[in-house]
DNA sequence: CGCTCTATTTATAAGAG
DNA sequence: TCTCTTATAAATAGAGC
């Protein structure tokens, strides 16, 4: 298992790519959640797989769109 | 180092919290980049620290806003 | 698909400079 | 605050069901 150093390049095998996507999506969302809790930060993650599916995570109370809007406002005001 | 299992709760010490934020932000962006390459996916991450600073990552050629818009369109069309 | 298992790689907390 | 180190915790690739 984990036979060698992982090379970061596109996984050509479709099944492997989808499995890896699913696993790493879970890992990324978990990391995002942890960062939000540990550091009291607002976090949003968007994923758009090459099969055309959307996945997102946000720890904002009011959801991703509100988080995005608040950030745009903050940029606008800065 | 890493003296025990990390408990996921707000780090009360300000200095520690900022150091952890910086470290984990780097880790999260790295994971996001890897997922994008390995799985040929579009990825966006937004972070809003409790000091009011915005950080973001996107592997979209045309930037985060375009990625966000394309996703909204995909939701609208679905 | 969506789980579990586990050897191994990877991330990282704390310390040092 | 940045970089490096290093022990340890955490993620995960590949396999099996």
């Amino acid at each position: 298992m984990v036979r060698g150093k992982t090379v970061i390049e596109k996984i050509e095998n479709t099944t492997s790519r989808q499995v890896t996507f699913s696993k790493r999506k879970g890992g990324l969302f978990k990391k995002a959640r942890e960062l939000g809790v540990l550091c009291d930060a607002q976090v949003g993650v968007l994923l758009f797989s090459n099969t055309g599916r959307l996945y997102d995570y946000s720890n904002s109370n009011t959801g991703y769109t509100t988080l995005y809007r608040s950030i745009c406002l903050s940029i606008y005001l800065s």
Side-chain angles (χ1 to χ4, degrees), chain A residues 16-49:
Chain A
S16 296
R17 189 171 62 246
Q18 289 177 346
V19 169
T20 294
F21 182 82
S22 177
K23 285 184 176 183
R24 282 181 174 256
K25 172 168 66 65
L28 191 68
F29 285 180
K30 183 178 179 183
K31 288 281 185 186
R33 181 179 56 78
E34 290 181 353
L35 180 58
V37 173
L38 287 167
C39 304
D40 193 29
Q42 283 188 285
V43 181
V45 181
L46 286 175
L47 295 177
F48 208 26
S49 75

Side-chain angles (χ1 to χ4, degrees), chain A residues 25-72:
Chain A
K25 172 168 66 65
L28 191 68
F29 285 180
K30 183 178 179 183
K31 288 281 185 186
R33 181 179 56 78
E34 290 181 353
L35 180 58
V37 173
L38 287 167
C39 304
D40 193 29
Q42 283 188 285
V43 181
V45 181
L46 286 175
L47 295 177
F48 208 26
S49 75
N50 77 348
T51 60
R53 270 186 238 181
L54 170 70
Y55 303 89
D56 76 289
Y57 167 79
S58 173
N59 69 348
S60 174
N61 290 334
T62 46
Y64 198 93
T65 299
T66 301
L67 173 59
Y68 183 77
R69 283 178 182 156
S70 71
I71 287 168
C72 287

Side-chain angles (χ1 to χ4, degrees), chain A residues 7-19:
Chain A
V7 179
I8 302 301
E9 59 187 20
K10 181 178 174 181
I11 298 168
E12 294 299 337
N13 181 279
T14 301
T15 302
S16 296
R17 189 171 62 246
Q18 289 177 346
V19 169

